Amino acid sequence: MNEAHQEELTSFEEQHKVVQKNIPYYDLKWKSVENPATKDTWNWLAFFFSTFWLAYRKMYKPFFIISGIQLLWAIPFYFTDLTAWLDLPFYGIISIIVGSFGNRWYFNHTNHVLKQARALPETVQDSYIQTKGGTHVGIMLGLHTLLFALFFALDFGLSFIPTETNIKDVVRISEEADTLEVYMDNPKWNYIKQEGRHHVVEFTGYDYTEKEDVRIVLYVYFDKYMYEWNQVYINGKKLNEEDSIDYELYIEDSSW
């Protein structure tokens, strides 16, 4: 993203033609360091809006690189049990990187546009700079529509792979699972094995209101994306069929 050298730097007046909007801000930031092509200054807009800011400023290369990293980051969550809280430090790091390096990236981007323009006939240079420089809300929205579509397609495709994580998620995304996790201390979901058409998934937890250890065995039919309760154990003792149904209805009613 930084291939410009000091001798290739152009005057800020030339770069104004590329920046077009919010020129005083970038003038201030770039003049605050000895060499804005290699030195970084902080950009709050880039920090908070990251890929939106990159697309808005027509910096397509860093936009696609960071978007690609975000897409790759989502893949492991379908193959192993990773907490969603990991997204916070990941996207926080992305924001810090773009906020820290954004002004330098943009300075080198304007240099690149001017360099490309000089290689063209003089009669079309201004038109080229007007087209490649400035900002564009439509491009920003269009690229993020594409990005969200790719995230949706990735989620749709990977969620149908019969990994242990995806199989457990058939149960874990249900309202009953939410209720069980709220009612229990140390709730855990374990994949046990496959038996014919169904997979055996087990939930364990401690019911702090009733002072009971709870273990529930569920059958997951991944091809139909559905599950059913099979057995309920309270303090290691298996409940009879009637009591198991009553317990399931109790959790189901509490979920509503």
Side-chain angles (χ1 to χ4, degrees):
M1 295 179 187
N2 176 21
E3 299 177 352
H5 299 285
Q6 177 65 40
E7 62 270 15
E8 296 175 325
L9 298 182
T10 58
S11 68
F12 290 170
E13 287 72 19
E14 285 183 286
Q15 291 187 327
H16 293 171
K17 300 176 183 178
V18 183
V19 177
Q20 298 178 24
K21 292 186 178 182
N22 207 13
I23 291 172
Y25 172 81
Y26 292 101
D27 252 359
L28 177 64
K29 288 293 183 177
W30 293 337
K31 289 177 180 177
S32 67
V33 292
E34 181 180 353
N35 182 3
T38 58
K39 301 297 183 179
D40 300 311
T41 54
W42 185 258
N43 187 320
W44 282 109
L45 195 65
F47 171 78
F48 284 113
F49 296 100
S50 300
T51 55
F52 285 91
W53 177 78
L54 292 170
Y56 179 67
R57 282 288 169 181
K58 301 183 182 180
M59 288 190 282
Y60 304 128
K61 183 177 179 180
F63 169 82
F64 283 115
I65 290 174
I66 292 175
S67 297
I69 292 172
Q70 291 175 342
L71 287 169
L72 291 174
W73 169 256
I75 294 175
F77 287 83
Y78 296 89
F79 294 89
T80 186
D81 289 341
L82 298 175
T83 175
W85 287 103
L86 288 175
D87 278 341
L88 291 178
F90 171 76
Y91 284 100
I93 291 171
I94 292 292
S95 295
I96 291 172
I97 289 174
V98 180
S100 299
F101 301 141
N103 288 334
R104 171 159 62 93
W105 293 349
Y106 192 47
F107 184 83
N108 288 299
H109 169 73
T110 60
N111 277 339
H112 179 73
V113 171
L114 290 169
K115 183 178 179 179
Q116 293 294 105
R118 292 192 199 101
L120 300 173
E122 189 172 343
T123 55
V124 299
Q125 287 182 10
D126 286 343
S127 297
Y128 181 85
I129 292 173
Q130 286 292 322
T131 301
K132 296 296 183 179
T135 60
H136 202 294
V137 174
I139 291 175
M140 178 189 71
L141 295 176
L143 286 175
H144 279 85
T145 298
L146 173 62
L147 180 59
F148 295 147
L150 289 174
F151 270 113
F152 178 80
L154 184 72
D155 176 72
F156 183 80
L158 294 179
S159 63
F160 282 99
I161 299 176
T163 64
E164 292 185 8
T165 295
N166 285 340
I167 290 167
K168 287 187 288 186
D169 281 346
V170 173
V171 183
R172 288 189 297 197
I173 63 174
S174 68
E175 292 183 354
E176 292 179 345
D178 290 339
T179 301
L180 287 170
E181 292 179 0
V182 169
Y183 282 10
M184 308 288 175
D185 283 335
N186 196 29
K188 292 182 179 179
W189 298 91
N190 298 306
Y191 178 88
I192 307 302
K193 61 181 178 178
Q194 181 175 2
E195 293 181 347
R197 289 183 55 217
H198 66 263
H199 301 264
V200 181
V201 172
E202 181 182 86
F203 171 83
T204 58
Y206 180 74
D207 188 336
Y208 51 85
T209 58
E210 299 295 332
K211 305 296 189 294
E212 297 173 338
D213 288 310
V214 177
R215 181 164 71 94
I216 303 170
V217 178
L218 305 107
Y219 287 172
V220 176
Y221 300 88
F222 189 72
D223 57 335
K224 295 184 177 180
Y225 214 76
M226 60 177 291
Y227 69 92
E228 64 181 14
W229 290 48
N230 181 257
Q231 299 166 359
V232 178
Y233 294 82
I234 302 296
N235 291 328
K237 180 181 178 181
K238 179 181 177 181
L239 301 185
N240 58 44
E241 183 176 355
E242 183 178 350
D243 289 341
S244 293
I245 293 174
D246 287 342
Y247 191 86
E248 179 182 356
L249 291 174
Y250 160 68
I251 295 298
E252 184 178 326
D253 289 343
S254 300
S255 302
W256 294 344

